[in-house]
Amino acid sequence: MSQAMDVMNIALIIAFAAVALAQVLSMVRLVMGPSVGDRILALDTMVINAIGLIVLMGISQGSTIYFEVSLIIAMLGFVSTVAFARFIMRGDIIE
Amino acid sequence: MSWDIIGIYATSAALIIGAIFAMVGAIGLIKFNDPMVRMHAPTKVGTVGIGALLAAAIIYNSVIGDGAIHAILIMAFLFVTAPISANFIAKVNIHRRNCDTLPAPEGDETWSTLNVSEADRAIAPQKDGAA
């Protein structure tokens, strides 16, 4: 059991590093994105990566309280992406 | 080899798969050089990446704790909303003429989703004569 836990801890560290690197790369696209659609896409990717980071934190702490947090962040991310896109398309969010 | 050890190893495998897919999506977001092509890569983060990470969380919590089936809710929500937000971003790209649009139709007709009225046609954004 302890050897398996060692393997899982190494996998957790690798997953934390990879998802944090993905977050940084999408932030680079958010800063340098030539068009508005790229920036909206980068923000959407950053929200999804943040959900992944929160799930990883829940695994590393052995807690299930973070699932509610990530569900709320998923809902807010979807609503904000739709609001950004509608604002670019229509010039208004709720007509 | 008991079920606990198999579950922990399955958790490790799911963690590695999810992390690889998240990073591949971000690298694709950086490397592709067309706005419509760029929308292809991050969809993998939303489905396989987060799906594998949540599967790892479910397996780990069912091994050490008393299960966490409600994490499937997050997965279902992401699977439902990912195509909708991708569709909206594609409509933004079409609206801003960042991608190749359709050639001009014959006569007075315009493309139905980009119906520029007759009075505004002179000031509408055009991309190298395509519209």
Side-chain angles (χ1 to χ4, degrees), chain A residues 25 29 35 38 48 56 70, chain B residues 15 29-30 38 50 74 98:
Chain A
L25 287 180
R29 177 53 77 189
S35 72
D38 295 327
I48 293 175
L56 284 177
S70 48
Chain B
L15 279 175
L29 187 65
I30 285 292
R38 232 173 261 146
I50 301 299
I74 307 167
N98 290 323

Side-chain angles (χ1 to χ4, degrees), chain B residues 13-129:
Chain B
L15 279 175
I16 295 296
I17 291 172
I20 285 174
F21 268 89
M23 211 170 66
V24 162
I27 290 172
L29 187 65
I30 285 292
K31 266 190 83 68
F32 289 153
N33 47 16
D34 185 71
M36 278 299 198
V37 180
R38 232 173 261 146
M39 289 180 48
H40 161 74
T43 55
K44 273 76 207 166
V45 187
T47 53
V48 185
I50 301 299
L53 290 183
L54 284 169
I58 292 171
I59 296 170
Y60 184 65
N61 276 306
S62 64
V63 166
I64 67 154
D66 46 358
I69 299 300
H70 56 288
I72 293 179
L73 272 179
I74 307 167
M75 218 188 287
F77 186 81
L78 280 178
F79 284 6
V80 168
T81 59
I84 302 174
S85 53
N87 185 17
F88 268 92
I89 295 168
K91 278 160 87 177
V92 165
N93 278 335
I94 293 171
H95 184 77
R96 301 290 298 232
R97 308 290 172 102
N98 290 323
C99 57
D100 291 338
T101 51
L102 291 175
E106 297 292 326
D108 289 339
E109 299 172 1
T110 52
W111 194 16
S112 60
T113 52
L114 290 172
N115 199 355
V116 183
S117 67
E118 195 74 39
D120 297 337
R121 211 163 284 174
I123 58 171
Q126 293 182 355
K127 188 184 178 187
D128 45 63

